[in-house]
Amino acid sequence: MKRIDNRPDGGQLAVRVRGLVKHYGETKALDGVDLDVREGTVMGVLGPNGAGKTTLVRILSTLITPTSGEAVVAGYDVLRQPRQLRRVIGLTGQYASVDEKLPGWENLYLIGRLLDLSRKDARARAGELLERFSLTDAAKRPASTYSGGMRRRLDLAASMIGRPSVLFLDEPTTGLDPRTRNEVWDEVKAMVGDGVTVLLTTQYMEEAEQLASELTVVDRGKVIAGGGIEELKAKVGGRTLRVRPADPGQLRPLAAFLDELGITGLASTTVDTERGAVLVPILSDEQLTAVVGAVTAQGVTLASVTTELPSLDEVFLSLTGHRASAPQDAAPATDAREEVAV
């Protein structure tokens, strides 16, 4: 069977999913999922525990079969062409799956041979990836002696042995420290730079903002939202206007004045004494203009006015009803901001 053209223009989407359903008894792990992933991009799949993210990855990587629906990955039908598909995909799960009794080099060599590489090519590919993932010095040590970050890098290297065109990363940085997490992000970016398409499941909002071109949010087995990061933030609606007076002594009088202003839709203001600003929730550009105009008309000299979109964590909360899990040592996601000169 030949590869399937899955775009109307005859080109290839890296992943195309339509109506994917997976039942476990009475439980619907997936309930009619549709998903498109463009070649050479990172699709971030967000969702709480039990949302269906891992089930989706397992189906697309041929580890389990769906109850119903269709899925095409790298031009191959997941159900009808699993053997062909396995040769062009890579998978890294939530936990390192390497053989801890074997040295790092032997882990990679073995996988190369299982993928039908010649002995010479398997040795060369193993050496190339050990160098790329900074594991050359530990190549002959058993994987059981590796740190968590080293095992994760070895696992990523193993997923790249066959030069996959599509890589599935199922919460790849779970449990990693910030430094190792950043190293993994750098490797993922390098892979995408080489033309690899990545489907990334994660509960870490910072990770999604760092890596993903587009996002799909799933909850209870259904897709509840999708699009670019800024697009999703815009869908949630609302911005915060951060008004910073030149004189910090004007903070509380300015907040009181704005509360009494009575602009339609304007919620209560708050004072951020640490940053010397008054925070004003707004719903439109008209409200922004009205607030700035009223403040300047009062003769208040402003140092700056900044608008902030909702954070990705706030978007997740709005869509799913609860916040995403986040590593305690992770920095908060950076808000999108636009500085207005005044």
Side-chain angles (χ1 to χ4, degrees), residues 292-328:
V292 174
V295 170
T296 53
Q298 286 292 108
V300 177
T301 302
L302 299 180
S304 67
V305 177
T306 305
T307 59
E308 301 176 2
L309 287 171
S311 69
L312 194 53
D313 190 60
E314 290 169 332
V315 171
F316 190 93
L317 172 63
S318 174
L319 293 171
T320 66
H322 50 80
R323 293 195 179 276
S325 299
Q328 293 182 355

Side-chain angles (χ1 to χ4, degrees), residues 184-206:
V184 171
W185 291 348
D186 289 342
E187 289 300 334
V188 173
K189 291 172 184 176
M191 293 173 190
V192 176
D194 291 339
V196 177
T197 303
V198 175
L199 189 148
L200 165 77
T201 75
T202 183
Q203 294 187 70
Y204 299 163
M205 300 300 101
E206 184 187 11

Side-chain angles (χ1 to χ4, degrees), residues 129-139 146 150 153-154 157:
L129 288 169
L130 286 167
E131 181 175 357
R132 174 172 177 174
F133 285 87
S134 303
L135 293 170
T136 303
D137 291 344
Y146 287 14
M150 292 171 68
R153 296 204 304 274
L154 182 61

